[in-house]
Amino acid sequence: MKSPNFEHLKAHILPLSVASNFKAARQEWDVVAVEISDEWDNCPCGQEIKEHCYIRNRHNGNTTYVGNVCINRFIQIDTGNLFDGLKRISHDDTANANIDLIEHAYRMGYLYSEKEYHFLLQTARKRILSLAQLNWKRKINRRILAQTIVQRRTKR
């Protein structure tokens, strides 16, 4: 954990935190959004990323983003297979979201009802759905993607 990348991340997070040491500071942050971009960006650690985790400090309201690897390894917020689930439904809007993505979508308010949440959980492992179920799944998946996928970060 003492790599130059970790030191860059630490130098970015500490001034935005209330705590003065990184071990305590990383406990202050919550994931408030995730995003997959088509274009490369840089994590505060210096790595090129396309998977962004937006975080907010619950003590002072500061916000920033870090890459998917840093959120798990250094900040120690487990995103599980969230990005795998996002990639799956971005390639096929009828695909099954995984449990981590369903839980994230529910926490973030992307699902409009308990019924949608339970529907996704119940169909997460099913391969054959009725046409009505498939259409509903497609509608929900598109809503989740609209909240998390950025097509272009820069103008061309």
Side-chain angles (χ1 to χ4, degrees):
M1 220 188 317
K2 290 292 183 189
S3 71
N5 291 342
F6 173 68
E7 295 302 321
H8 291 307
L9 179 71
K10 192 165 111 176
H12 176 77
I13 294 292
L14 274 177
L16 298 171
S17 303
V18 172
S20 58
N21 69 68
F22 188 76
K23 186 175 180 180
R26 69 181 178 202
Q27 304 298 317
E28 300 175 7
W29 296 88
D30 296 312
V31 174
V32 293
V34 296
E35 157 186 302
I36 298 176
S37 174
D38 285 344
E39 299 172 0
W40 291 103
D41 195 1
N42 288 308
C43 176
C45 79
Q47 294 294 314
E48 288 189 331
I49 59 171
K50 287 188 175 184
E51 299 173 352
H52 299 74
C53 295
Y54 291 88
I55 56 178
R56 178 179 297 129
N57 186 296
R58 75 178 75 85
H59 299 298
N60 60 20
N62 286 334
T63 60
T64 189
Y65 69 86
V66 298
N68 185 32
V69 172
C70 283
I71 200 75
N72 291 308
R73 185 180 300 157
F74 299 129
I75 311 266
Q76 296 182 339
I77 297 174
D78 183 18
T79 58
N81 296 313
L82 174 62
F83 284 97
D84 291 337
L86 281 171
K87 289 176 192 172
R88 182 181 311 137
I89 68 170
S90 72
H91 296 309
D92 176 5
D93 64 4
T94 64
N96 294 333
N98 61 28
I99 302 301
D100 290 330
L101 178 56
I102 295 167
E103 294 295 333
H104 173 76
Y106 184 67
R107 273 193 315 276
M108 295 293 118
Y110 305 157
L111 305 180
Y112 293 157
S113 67
E114 291 279 326
K115 189 174 180 180
E116 287 184 343
Y117 172 71
H118 290 293
F119 169 73
L120 289 180
L121 288 176
Q122 290 168 352
T123 60
R125 301 213 190 286
K126 287 189 178 181
R127 295 196 183 274
I128 300 173
L129 299 175
S130 71
L131 183 58
Q133 289 174 318
L134 204 54
N135 286 335
W136 195 20
K137 180 171 290 228
R138 180 180 284 125
K139 182 179 179 179
I140 296 168
N141 284 350
R142 286 179 180 166
R143 187 180 330 125
I144 292 169
L145 290 172
Q147 298 292 328
T148 58
I149 306 292
V150 172
Q151 298 305 317
R152 291 274 173 234
R153 293 176 80 59
T154 59
K155 294 178 184 175
R156 289 188 182 230

